[in-house]
Amino acid sequence: MRQRWRGALVAIGLVLAANIPKQAATASLGIEVTPAKLEVSIPPGATYNLPMTVRNSSFNQVHVQATLADFGVGLTGGYQFQKVGSRSNSLMRWATINPREFDLPAGNAQQVQLTLSVPADAKLSGEYAGIVFFQTRPPRRPGNSIAFSVRIAAKIYETIPGTVHLAGAVAKMVAAPSPRGENYRVLFKNLGNAHVYLHGQLSIQRGTTVVDNLALANGELVERGGERLLDVFGKRLPPGSYQAIGTIDYGGKTETGGEIAFVVH
């Protein structure tokens, strides 16, 4: 079974839970989860037990609660969290976690087991994804005080062996003037069944002469079934007719791209 461990923090949320005091003492608020990202390959009908470790690096004991969620990434790269089962590629509908909540003394760690039970369904293909959130419960104290709730997350990808297909296309390109210079917008659509990362260039030509070269993408994430709007600014151009030629490498066998003609007045 293939595993790839990456220690990247997905999300941290801080919730203000009381009135601001006249003077607040500083303290470490950290909890950590390992792995913060994991990719596994599980055949239909199989069960996989994933150990996860939550560590309390703060100065106080905390109470931690675990929740499961679906997620997507919007046009501009913002994460969108939804209840389990909301998305067609929801992984967490097949997941259970134990323990669901626990007390964690300062400086200690707790192992949590995430169990993934993939249905024996021959129609399953590609990649399924989900997120596990670990969130502390703010302590209740009398008087004026500040209490923080810290939330961290682990992102899990699961693929059905032998079914992943990477595909993508530039769906739309636009060039428009702006106070910052020429504004180019390129819409990429993920046509495959797994997440991809984008790398690309944009070349601006006047006739056969290249007048501007721009980095179009540098590792932007596009989830399964998602779209990503790449928005870049180039230098100001003198009046005339131009072509914008974009190329994007999304990790597939071939690159994709697009071309438009535009006029600067």
Side-chain angles (χ1 to χ4, degrees):
M1 184 174 297
R2 176 174 59 86
Q3 296 186 19
R4 288 198 292 166
W5 299 76
R6 298 181 184 176
L9 192 61
V10 177
I12 299 178
L14 296 179
V15 180
L16 186 63
N19 296 323
I20 298 177
K22 293 180 180 179
Q23 186 173 5
T26 60
S28 172
L29 300 169
I31 59 171
E32 305 163 2
V33 60
T34 305
K37 180 182 178 184
L38 177 66
E39 299 182 9
V40 296
S41 183
I42 308 174
T47 296
Y48 181 81
N49 293 316
L50 166 64
M52 310 178 76
T53 301
V54 181
R55 180 174 297 277
N56 180 6
S57 57
S58 74
F59 301 140
N60 303 304
Q61 175 171 297
V62 294
H63 184 80
V64 180
Q65 295 175 310
T67 57
L68 309 178
D70 288 355
F71 77 96
V73 176
L75 277 176
T76 57
Y79 277 84
Q80 303 163 341
F81 304 114
Q82 299 162 299
K83 67 178 182 180
V84 172
S86 298
R87 301 179 67 85
S88 60
N89 68 325
S90 172
L91 174 62
M92 294 306 165
R93 57 185 161 167
W94 307 328
T96 57
I97 193 164
N98 184 49
R100 195 90 184 199
E101 59 181 290
F102 49 89
D103 290 320
L104 189 55
N108 284 26
Q110 169 75 47
Q111 188 171 89
V112 177
Q113 181 169 283
L114 179 71
T115 300
L116 302 174
S117 299
V118 180
D121 186 347
K123 295 181 180 179
L124 296 178
S125 65
E127 180 183 79
Y128 298 83
I131 275 185
V132 183
F133 283 114
F134 296 96
Q135 183 165 354
T136 62
R137 185 170 63 193
R140 296 180 180 179
R141 298 188 180 96
N144 292 334
S145 63
I146 290 180
F148 290 95
S149 175
V150 180
R151 186 173 74 169
I152 61 174
K155 183 164 61 171
I156 315 296
Y157 290 110
E158 185 275 327
T159 57
I160 306 300
T163 66
V164 173
H165 171 64
L166 300 184
V170 172
K172 188 176 182 180
M173 293 180 62
V174 175
S178 80
R180 293 175 57 184
E182 202 69 26
N183 183 202
Y184 306 98
R185 292 188 169 189
V186 179
L187 181 64
F188 174 88
K189 187 168 185 178
N190 187 347
L191 301 176
N193 59 13
H195 73 286
V196 297
Y197 295 96
L198 308 182
H199 297 272
Q201 299 290 325
L202 188 66
S203 176
I204 311 303
Q205 298 183 6
R206 187 171 187 177
T208 59
T209 303
V210 175
V211 297
D212 203 1
N213 268 313
L214 303 167
L216 182 59
N218 187 24
E220 283 80 353
L221 169 65
V222 189
E223 292 294 333
R224 177 177 181 173
E227 296 179 332
R228 189 64 183 264
L229 182 62
L230 305 170
D231 194 350
V232 297
F233 289 87
K235 64 184 180 182
R236 296 179 184 275
L237 300 174
S241 298
Y242 298 87
Q243 300 83 40
I245 304 170
T247 57
I248 295 177
D249 181 358
Y250 57 88
K253 293 182 179 179
T254 60
E255 295 182 342
T256 187
E259 179 179 348
I260 57 169
F262 64 99
V263 177
V264 175
H265 298 285

